Amino acid sequence: MSDTGSKSELLAEAETRTVFRTCPLCEAGCGLEITVKDQRVTRIRGDRDDVFSHGFICPKGSTLKQLHEDPDRLRKPLVKRNGVHVEVEWDEAWREVRAGIDGVIERHGRQAFAVYQGNPSAHSLSALTFARGLSQAVGTRQHYSASTVDQMPRQVASAYVFGTAMSVPVPDLDRTDYLMILGGNPYASNGSLCTAPDFPGRIESMRARGGRLVVVDPRRSRTAEEADEWLPIRPGTDAMFLMAIVNVLFADGLADPGPIVAGMVDGLDELRGLAAPFTPVAVAAATGLDAGTITRIAHELAIATTSTVYGRIGTTTTEFGTTASWLIDAVNILTGNLDRPGGAMFPMPVAGGPTTRGRRGSGKGFSIGRGVSPATNMPEVMGEYPVAVLAEEILEESATTGVRALVTIAGNPVLSTPNSDRLDAALATLEFMVSVDIYLNETTRHATVILPPPSPLQRSHYDLALLQFAIRNVANYSAAVLPLDDGQPDEWEILAKLAMLFHGADVGADPAVADDTTIAGLVHHAVSDESSPIHGRDADEILAALNATGQHGPERVLDFMLRTGPFGDAFGAAPGGATLQMLVDNPHGVDFGALQPRLPEILRTPSGRIELAHPALVADVPRLEDAMVRLAEQPMMLVGRRHLRSNNSWMHNIEILVKGKPRCTLQVHPDDAAEIGLVDGGYARVTSRVGSVDAPVEVTDAIRPGVVSLPHGWGHGVEGTRLRVAGERAGVNSNVLTDHAALDPLSGTSVLNGIPVTLAPV
Ligand code: SF4
């Protein structure tokens, strides 16, 4: 503060503060510098001192202010009365919830409830620490999430091969010499299942040091534009392409995992046999890539000083999503690039996680199908059923098995899951629905009660989930930037109280009770867990140490996780180790360094080895072989796409992000447009097995012939929603076209990329 400033200047300075926080909007986790004056945000820009993002942000990051101030964002609960949502006070909302829960349980029992968790909950510290308790409290087996329209195949493959669903190797971007990206567009997404703020800048640094980028995608995405080479593969054939690379590596004597990894891999010979039919010539017709190119790419990956293959949504949301994810690991292993700098490496999450708990070889083995969905007979995967079957489970007429009520946490499945019109109709039949959401959107318009959490700027933040996939071992905690509104409960309090109501508590229940129960449960479990750094310690002593900090809710849980994590202070046993206070004292984050090799310590398979030919994965190979013939003759195929200013369905109400040229267009190759009679700016009727939409046509050579692309997350302007900006730029819902019956059977994940469609001019 200046000694010579005027009184007004001094006052202005006193009222203005600068705070630092991590952006919670996507997986990149960029550091933000936020200026606040009189409890209003006046500026948001990249935090140049952030240890991970170094000042980078994308256009979405600065719109947290607009999101906070959006008049459509819910500040009070809504209750549906005579078909119309009306604002009520919290006490009244909780009474409605109490009555709704009681009524459904009395009429149908708890199995009549389903729970759906949307993508934003993976970015919420409150949801990551308290939503699980809510899911358990509901007492149903009917769990669904956005995972089965997204990353589930990657997690299933990791669980089979390495032993946990979080054992996902990430590309060591800052040290690699050769990066091949399949079905990912980090110039738009900023990375996914690979937390790397300024992913584009890291790619550019790689190329500046002589590295090579190859992008495999039916579309010449923004990332493909920047690549040294674009391989316009046909949709849904990545697994065949990867198997052909495996074939070449073996056939040409290039398969060499390196001496350390070779000593801990099972299944190499079996993989060699499995890959034998998938020669580059054999897969050429299905993949649309010539055999010579496939062979050359295999050689390049093998002889590069370091290389890494990274696959994302275009590989997971296909009928061979799990197999493609497995084969990405296989290629990284065979080229000697698993678990070494510049290759594909395992993060060491500072707050711990499944990859840091337990010991090598202590896993029980992963399997799916611990139960099936009652009406549709689909196997459980990681505790949930495919969201593609949720509509059928609701429409099931049996009094004993049908879903009659739904809890949603931060999701919009009506826009983001397959055969949307059918799910929309199914939701309209529910007897009761309670949603924790900041918007009255296409899904929550069906809710009996909507309980709005505070805006992201009013919540604290730590990327508990996404730092498990980070390319450096970093930790960054952010306190809430703005205070809660009068009477507004915190997000964790809403989730905890909802859980208590499901447990039978009355509407006056205090979430602090659930909070104390949660932390006590974690501590007691840890002191009895042999792999925990506080094993054998006195639980009361640990609880007293936690309580001495004055923290509660998510902060207390986070403090516990940090202190018992791999870099933690273990409550005094490792002085100087990580604590929440350490992160509070370092608002730009703490960098625990580049990724280090973790094999074999990370392996949680029952054998303690890399199970590269797990029977569940091997069993899918004949299906892949059969598809070589079928996919050689593809009809017109629909794929999705992402835009830098979009975030699935839920940032379309921010004017600054949606203004300009309409982005919800159907991209069509000029040859296809000419043949079908489509013109740029005209409309096409797109029809699939399950639905039809009329979309504006964008003729472009940035897509391979025989493939069209429509972004997802659009289709706003529906009656009963309160999204005025989004409604003015509604777009069409691509998931009206995606088929609920098209799934990757190993993971229950929907096929969103590679939907057969026909086109006609409108
Ligand atoms: S890239 Fe993601 S985390 Fe970074 S500013 Fe943009 S939305 Fe936020």
Side-chain angles (χ1 to χ4, degrees):
M1 191 180 290
S2 161
D3 289 339
T4 55
S6 67
K7 189 177 174 189
S8 60
E9 282 171 340
L10 291 173
L11 271 175
E13 275 190 51
E15 291 159 356
T16 302
R17 58 193 168 96
T18 300
V19 291
F20 303 95
R21 71 154 294 153
T22 306
C23 175
L25 295 176
C26 91
E27 298 180 42
C30 303
L32 306 177
E33 179 191 305
I34 303 179
T35 308
V36 182
K37 186 174 183 193
D38 296 334
Q39 302 298 15
R40 283 191 60 130
V41 170
T42 55
R43 186 179 70 182
I44 298 180
R45 64 179 183 180
D47 173 8
R48 284 164 291 187
D49 296 320
D50 185 275
V51 297
F52 204 12
S53 58
H54 308 292
F56 173 85
I57 59 169
C58 83
K60 296 189 290 293
S62 62
T63 64
L64 283 173
K65 169 184 163 64
Q66 285 84 352
L67 179 60
H68 178 75
E69 293 171 359
D70 183 353
D72 288 342
R73 181 175 65 79
L74 304 180
R75 272 84 170 165
K76 288 276 178 70
L78 299 183
V79 170
K80 203 175 215 180
R81 300 246 161 83
N82 300 319
V84 178
H85 282 101
V86 295
E87 214 170 71
V88 300
E89 296 301 325
W90 281 92
D91 285 351
E92 192 174 344
W94 288 121
R95 283 195 293 276
E96 292 280 349
V97 173
R98 171 78 281 159
I101 293 172
D102 289 346
V104 173
I105 291 177
E106 195 178 312
R107 289 189 296 278
H108 308 291
R110 287 179 181 269
Q111 295 307 320
F113 274 95
V115 179
Y116 175 85
Q117 253 185 277
N119 174 293
S121 58
H123 303 257
S124 159
L125 177 60
S126 288
L128 287 164
T129 47
F130 284 87
R132 187 152 181 250
L134 168 58
S135 287
Q136 290 170 341
V138 176
T140 179
R141 288 185 292 275
Q142 294 268 9
H143 293 283
Y144 300 87
S145 82
S147 291
T148 52
V149 284
D150 194 341
Q151 87 291 348
M152 185 70 94
R154 176 59 269 182
Q155 295 196 267
V156 169
S158 282
Y160 284 130
V161 175
F162 304 115
T164 92
M166 300 301 272
S167 310
V168 176
V170 298
D172 188 18
L173 290 180
D174 294 343
R175 293 181 286 190
T176 196
D177 300 289
Y178 190 115
L179 173 64
M180 183 164 80
I181 299 177
L182 296 98
N185 184 11
Y187 272 77
S189 71
N190 274 294
S192 178
L193 289 184
C194 174
T195 300
D198 195 14
F199 202 128
R202 293 173 197 271
I203 286 178
E204 281 148 27
S205 296
M206 177 193 74
R207 296 190 65 214
R209 59 178 185 265
R212 181 169 172 79
L213 174 67
V214 175
V215 173
V216 184
D217 200 303
R219 231 169 46 78
R220 195 175 66 234
S221 64
R222 174 83 171 80
T223 306
E225 297 268 8
E226 300 295 328
D228 296 282
E229 186 169 4
W230 169 46
L231 302 181
I233 196 169
R234 297 173 83 187
T237 64
D238 305 83
M240 286 169 209
F241 169 65
L242 290 159
M243 196 62 113
I245 289 177
V246 170
N247 175 294
V248 173
L249 293 173
F250 278 118
D252 293 355
L254 295 169
D256 179 9
I260 298 172
V261 175
M264 59 187 88
V265 184
D266 285 339
L268 285 173
D269 286 343
E270 194 166 0
L271 183 61
R272 179 201 297 266
L274 293 168
F278 296 87
T279 62
V281 170
V283 306
T287 60
L289 302 175
D290 73 77
T293 300
I294 297 172
T295 302
R296 175 176 54 79
I297 293 289
H299 287 196
E300 288 178 3
L301 286 166
I303 64 174
T305 309
T306 60
S307 71
T308 180
V309 180
Y310 161 67
R312 202 43 198 100
I313 198 89
T315 59
T316 53
T317 53
T318 68
E319 62 173 313
F320 297 104
T322 304
T323 300
S325 301
W326 162 48
L327 292 171
I328 286 169
D329 294 333
V331 172
N332 285 327
I333 289 170
L334 295 177
T335 59
N337 283 294
L338 181 70
D339 201 41
R340 73 150 163 155
M345 301 193 76
F346 297 101
M348 180 76 89
V350 179
T355 72
T356 66
R357 292 191 279 270
R359 294 211 166 84
R360 180 188 182 190
S362 63
K364 294 187 174 67
F366 179 76
S367 61
I368 68 170
R370 295 170 301 168
V372 294
S373 52
T376 50
N377 207 33
M378 290 301 296
E380 161 277 349
V381 180
M382 287 174 56
E384 57 187 271
Y385 300 132
V387 70
V389 305
L390 176 57
E392 270 179 87
E393 293 290 328
I394 294 171
L395 295 169
E396 164 67 29
E397 289 182 359
S398 161
T400 53
T401 57
V403 168
R404 299 288 176 262
L406 182 64
V407 179
T408 71
I409 305 168
N412 193 357
V414 164
L415 292 193
S416 56
T417 68
N419 200 346
S420 300
D421 282 351
R422 197 151 161 281
L423 180 63
D424 194 39
L427 294 184
T429 71
L430 290 170
E431 295 176 17
F432 176 66
M433 176 171 161
V434 55
S435 296
V436 179
D437 208 293
I438 60 173
Y439 281 123
L440 177 52
N441 63 28
E442 293 75 13
T443 297
T444 60
R445 80 187 207 279
H446 294 291
T448 320
V449 185
I450 306 175
L451 306 170
S455 89
L457 288 175
Q458 295 170 306
R459 304 181 212 166
S460 58
H461 186 73
Y462 183 94
D463 267 319
L464 264 184
L466 304 169
L467 287 174
Q468 313 239 358
F469 310 117
I471 64 159
R472 288 186 73 83
N473 295 320
V474 298
N476 204 334
Y477 166 77
S478 321
V481 174
L482 298 174
L484 295 171
D485 299 338
D486 285 346
Q488 166 73 56
D490 208 337
E491 185 180 29
W492 75 267
E493 293 175 303
I494 296 170
L495 298 170
K497 184 155 176 167
L498 198 45
M500 294 173 82
L501 263 59
F502 272 100
H503 279 306
D506 66 37
V507 294
D510 183 353
V513 175
D515 182 26
D516 287 343
T517 306
T518 300
I519 194 68
L522 289 171
V523 170
H524 282 278
H525 181 269
V527 297
S528 60
D529 174 1
E530 285 185 5
S531 71
S532 167
I534 58 168
H535 174 245
R537 301 268 294 271
D538 178 20
D540 289 340
E541 169 217 331
I542 302 294
L543 280 166
L546 283 166
N547 292 334
T549 66
Q551 303 284 6
H552 62 284
E555 274 71 16
R556 188 165 52 167
V557 175
L558 175 62
D559 193 24
F560 171 76
M561 295 178 76
L562 290 165
R563 298 177 78 170
T564 55
F567 301 93
D569 81 340
F571 291 89
T579 63
L580 181 58
Q581 189 59 49
M582 173 194 274
L583 302 191
V584 170
D585 293 341
N586 290 277
H588 308 291
V590 178
D591 184 1
F592 290 85
L595 304 188
Q596 301 296 322
R598 289 196 61 191
L599 286 172
E601 160 270 317
I602 192 173
L603 297 172
R604 298 290 184 273
T605 49
S607 61
R609 297 172 61 78
I610 298 169
E611 298 187 4
L612 192 53
H614 190 286
L617 299 167
V618 169
D620 197 44
V621 175
R623 190 173 66 93
L624 185 67
E625 195 173 344
D626 291 347
M628 274 197 290
V629 177
R630 173 170 53 88
L631 293 181
E633 294 294 330
Q634 288 187 356
M636 184 67 75
M637 288 290 204
L638 175 71
V639 299
R641 70 178 188 269
R642 177 140 178 189
H643 193 280
L644 180 61
R645 291 175 178 268
S646 191
N647 196 3
N648 301 324
S649 69
W650 78 280
M651 292 292 282
H652 292 162
N653 212 48
I654 307 298
E655 177 78 35
I656 198 169
L657 291 177
V658 293
K659 69 180 185 185
K661 259 174 57 178
R663 295 201 299 270
C664 186
T665 58
L666 182 78
Q667 291 187 336
V668 186
H669 189 273
D671 294 350
D672 293 327
E675 188 181 325
I676 300 165
L678 300 174
V679 294
D680 194 73
Y683 272 74
R685 178 152 302 156
V686 192
T687 304
S688 73
R689 188 185 79 86
V690 298
S692 183
V693 299
D694 292 350
V697 171
E698 177 188 350
V699 177
T700 171
D701 67 358
I703 192 156
R704 65 165 292 141
V707 181
V708 291
S709 168
L710 199 55
H712 80 281
W714 298 89
H716 303 291
V718 178
E719 195 179 336
T721 59
R722 193 180 299 168
L723 293 164
R724 274 162 281 203
V725 173
E728 287 163 12
R729 295 170 180 82
V732 296
N733 180 0
S734 66
N735 278 312
V736 167
L737 301 167
T738 52
D739 189 339
H740 63 283
L743 298 175
D744 165 28
L746 278 72
S747 66
T749 301
S750 295
V751 177
L752 305 180
N753 283 290
I755 295 289
V757 291
T758 57
L759 305 181
V762 178

